[in-house]
Amino acid sequence: MDASAPPCNGLVPVPRLEDLVARDKNHDCSGFGPAHICVRVDAVADLPTRFGRFRIVAFWNNRDGKEHVALVHGDVMGHEDVPTRLHSECLTGDALGSLRCDCRDQLEVALRRLSSMKRGLLLYLRQEGRGIGLRNKIRAYALQDRGLDTVEANRALGFRDDERDYGVAAHMIASLAVKSVRLMTNNPNKIQQLERNGIKVSGRIPHVMPANEFNRFYLQTKAVRSGHYLEFEGKEVLPEQDDPPVVESGRAT
């Protein structure tokens, strides 16, 4: 697919985020990706947070019945090279502070960084447990407690390594009239999926969190088995890993 031409021509330019609700009221398109995902903006509101001030945008979609949102800082509509983070929901990490993953650190650091920039965008996607859901994620944790890594645990439960689909995210970006993104990620699959869905990814912002004693093996697995841009012993150093990390408040990002 041509990354300069997302598969929806019904997204008429409007001047303000609030105007997207009226624009999308009757929006119905052929959809993004093989699942033909159509998305529309359903509500926009202010969201002051401990990380900075954002606008929160709620989206409806015709695929999964889940309520995905965007946190928007500054004016992103019509702009190129918008710093953007795709964050998949993680109840255990984001809300409960689990140390088995780096999700909460990734979320908090992303929001702080985006709020310090002129403009930025975070999509909070309801794809718990790499898309397998909360209950199955806990089942996978139980298998990891017995010695499997995260990839082996997913496969043992009958899932692929990663079940997430970023077609919803691609349409959300297009709905917000963002012309291109600089993706805040260590995951090459996110870049590839956005580009396949017609979103121009103009660059990558490394987003590396320091490991702790509980998530080190998980992060090593992401690096060695899933190809994430993380450097660990036993994994060949990739050219992308030459990008220097940004350090904020004593924390590598």
Side-chain angles (χ1 to χ4, degrees), residues 118-145:
K118 184 176 182 179
R119 62 181 56 90
L121 174 65
L122 184 140
L123 305 187
Y124 195 86
L125 306 167
R126 308 295 298 279
Q127 303 192 104
E128 181 79 49
R130 292 190 177 187
I132 67 176
L134 180 60
R135 182 174 61 90
N136 283 317
K137 183 172 80 169
I138 305 306
R139 294 174 68 201
Y141 277 175
L143 293 174
Q144 292 168 43
D145 290 343

Side-chain angles (χ1 to χ4, degrees), residues 5-188:
C8 178
N9 56 12
L11 302 176
V12 178
V14 294
R16 305 178 306 156
L17 280 177
E18 293 87 344
D19 299 325
L20 296 174
V21 178
R23 182 201 68 181
D24 284 4
K25 186 175 182 180
N26 298 309
H27 177 72
D28 186 16
C29 70
S30 58
F32 282 50
H36 301 290
I37 298 167
C38 176
V39 162
R40 62 174 179 250
V41 175
D42 205 39
V44 179
D46 289 333
L47 189 70
T49 78
R50 66 190 62 195
F51 310 109
R53 297 199 63 170
F54 294 88
R55 309 297 305 285
I56 187 166
V57 183
F59 291 84
W60 169 93
N61 76 87
N62 67 344
R63 180 184 182 226
D64 56 20
K66 295 179 180 178
E67 298 168 326
H68 308 282
V69 299
L71 273 69
V72 179
H73 176 71
D75 182 14
V76 302
M77 295 173 62
H79 286 278
E80 299 179 346
D81 304 330
V82 175
T84 299
R85 170 73 184 162
L86 308 186
H87 186 88
S88 296
E89 177 184 41
C90 177
L91 175 69
T92 51
D94 296 345
L96 303 179
S98 169
L99 297 176
R100 296 186 68 137
C101 64
D102 59 345
C103 298
R104 181 167 176 165
D105 287 342
Q106 288 195 12
L107 178 60
E108 292 187 0
V109 168
L111 290 173
R112 286 193 182 96
R113 294 183 71 185
L114 293 171
S115 68
S116 71
M117 298 175 179
K118 184 176 182 179
R119 62 181 56 90
L121 174 65
L122 184 140
L123 305 187
Y124 195 86
L125 306 167
R126 308 295 298 279
Q127 303 192 104
E128 181 79 49
R130 292 190 177 187
I132 67 176
L134 180 60
R135 182 174 61 90
N136 283 317
K137 183 172 80 169
I138 305 306
R139 294 174 68 201
Y141 277 175
L143 293 174
Q144 292 168 43
D145 290 343
R146 301 173 195 169
L148 300 188
D149 66 30
T150 184
V151 170
E152 293 165 342
N154 271 30
R155 292 178 179 176
L157 293 174
F159 298 106
R160 295 174 296 176
D161 300 4
D162 191 337
E163 292 283 350
R164 290 175 293 182
D165 182 335
Y166 296 102
V168 168
H171 198 327
M172 289 167 73
I173 291 168
S175 293
L176 293 169
V178 173
K179 292 184 177 180
S180 64
V181 300
R182 293 174 58 227
L183 203 60
M184 189 179 291
T185 188
N186 309 313
N187 184 354

